[in-house]
Amino acid sequence: MSCKNCDTAYAGTHIHRQEAFQKIFFEIKKRQRMMAASKPEDMRCLQCKKLFSPAYDQVNGCWEFPEISDTGICRKCGKLNHIRQNIEKCIQNAGVPLKYQRCTFENFHLTDENYLGVVTCRDYVRDHSPDHPGLYLFGVCGTGKTHLAAAIARELILMGRQVVFTCVPGLCFEIRKAFDKDSKITEQNAVSAYISSEYLVLDDLGVEKPTEWVKKTLSYIIYERDNMFKPTIITSNLSLDDIASHIDRRTASRIAGMSRIIRLQGPDWRLKKHL
């Protein structure tokens, strides 16, 4: 049996809550109308001209443009400007050897023999298919493969891409450091750094002694990057048939499936300098 006084008190409390909720709802709607009325128009980046919408800062109670800096330039343009101003340092940090840090497409020695290969490398920077995101540059010694790989790395860095550049013997040396008893990283950690990089340049594939560990490590890195559609740029003195014999047929097959294949032809420019 219910108490009339309790029922009356409950009803009063319920009505009071409804009134409180309605008041809060009204205040929210009022604030939303005020926010909408004060919302500024989209702002255009002074550099790339892209439009950005404002976001309301609940803490400061005002509209802000989080993607636009005080200079009127968007964060992406600001990042690219910083890279351009510090390109040599960025290239060094990417791992490009000192000898090749100033290599560009403009200072590459262009000939009738290598013209098509150079054009393909330039096109690769501008557009590479998600299905074939890699590049395999092969040819005899001294034809400029590493120069072109460094030029590609430079252009990608200037576009704000993350690039890791390493020669294959250097990669193996760095991963082997994980085996040292005082190492702070595991082999898996070391390998993951090469797998996770947005772009990976592997210079001189095939010059290292093809031990079982080397074969397994290189195959695993290429296998994982292929599965994740991550662009891998490889230079080698060996054709893919040679890679199949020297390292592993499955690895050669994966490289063929994930890459544009470019045979760079021409003389050995290092020898030609001394003739």
Side-chain angles (χ1 to χ4, degrees):
M1 185 173 178
S2 62
C3 172
K4 290 184 178 180
N5 290 335
C6 291
D7 290 344
T8 301
Y10 175 78
T13 302
H14 182 68
I15 292 171
H16 179 72
R17 286 177 177 174
Q18 282 186 323
E19 290 175 347
F21 287 148
Q22 287 177 351
K23 185 176 180 180
I24 293 171
F25 182 75
F26 175 78
E27 290 296 327
I28 291 174
K29 286 295 184 182
K30 181 181 177 181
R31 187 175 181 183
Q32 288 176 339
R33 287 194 295 270
M34 291 175 60
M35 287 172 56
S38 64
K39 183 179 180 181
E41 295 182 356
D42 291 351
M43 183 181 288
R44 195 179 295 278
C45 170
L46 296 176
Q47 186 165 321
C48 68
K49 308 304 179 184
K50 182 179 177 181
L51 281 172
F52 292 88
S53 299
Y56 193 78
D57 188 326
Q58 298 287 350
V59 176
N60 297 319
C62 62
W63 289 98
E64 294 184 347
F65 288 88
E67 293 300 319
I68 301 287
S69 68
D70 294 338
T71 60
I73 296 175
C74 71
R75 294 184 183 277
K76 182 178 180 181
C77 288
K79 176 185 174 182
L80 294 178
N81 289 342
H82 177 76
I83 290 172
R84 293 186 191 104
Q85 293 164 8
N86 300 276
I87 183 60
E88 303 306 328
K89 185 66 176 177
C90 293
I91 289 173
Q92 179 184 339
N93 291 341
V96 177
L98 179 62
K99 180 179 178 180
Y100 298 98
Q101 286 176 11
R102 295 188 179 276
C103 289
T104 66
F105 287 115
E106 287 69 27
N107 59 28
F108 186 81
H109 192 98
L110 200 63
T111 67
D112 291 339
E113 291 173 297
N114 62 34
Y115 176 81
L116 184 58
V118 176
V119 169
T120 305
C121 288
R122 278 183 177 273
D123 290 343
Y124 172 84
V125 173
R126 291 191 291 265
D127 178 39
H128 40 275
S129 166
D131 296 329
H132 300 84
L135 190 68
Y136 187 76
L137 267 169
F138 77 100
V140 298
C141 298
T143 50
K145 300 182 294 297
T146 303
H147 182 127
L148 286 176
I152 291 171
R154 171 183 285 268
E155 294 301 317
L156 290 172
I157 292 169
L158 285 169
M159 293 165 62
R161 305 296 191 183
Q162 182 208 13
V163 179
V164 171
F165 190 111
T166 181
C167 67
V168 175
L171 174 145
C172 294
F173 177 77
E174 288 299 320
I175 295 174
R176 283 196 190 99
K177 285 183 180 179
F179 300 145
D180 296 343
K181 62 180 181 180
D182 57 344
S183 175
K184 296 181 180 179
I185 62 170
T186 65
E187 181 184 7
Q188 183 61 45
N189 293 146
V191 170
S192 294
Y194 296 104
I195 292 173
S196 61
S197 174
E198 185 180 5
Y199 286 82
L200 176 64
V201 180
L202 292 176
D203 191 34
D204 267 344
L205 178 65
V207 299
E208 68 293 330
K209 185 178 179 181
T211 64
E212 284 305 311
W213 180 84
V214 168
K215 292 179 182 179
K216 182 189 74 172
T217 301
L218 290 175
S219 297
Y220 178 65
I221 291 172
I222 292 169
Y223 172 84
E224 289 295 315
R225 292 188 63 82
D226 181 28
N227 285 344
M228 293 187 286
F229 297 103
K230 286 185 173 290
T232 308
I233 299 152
I234 302 172
T235 74
S236 179
N237 296 336
L238 306 177
S239 68
L240 286 177
D241 285 339
D242 294 330
I243 291 294
S245 302
H246 187 74
I247 299 177
D248 181 74
R249 181 164 294 279
R250 283 177 296 181
T251 300
S253 177
R254 281 195 176 273
I255 293 172
M258 66 193 278
S259 310
R260 296 186 196 180
I261 312 300
I262 301 174
R263 182 182 180 188
L264 201 62
Q265 302 187 69
D268 184 332
W269 293 104
R270 291 191 288 261
L271 284 177
K272 197 168 184 179
K273 288 179 183 178
H274 301 284
L275 296 178

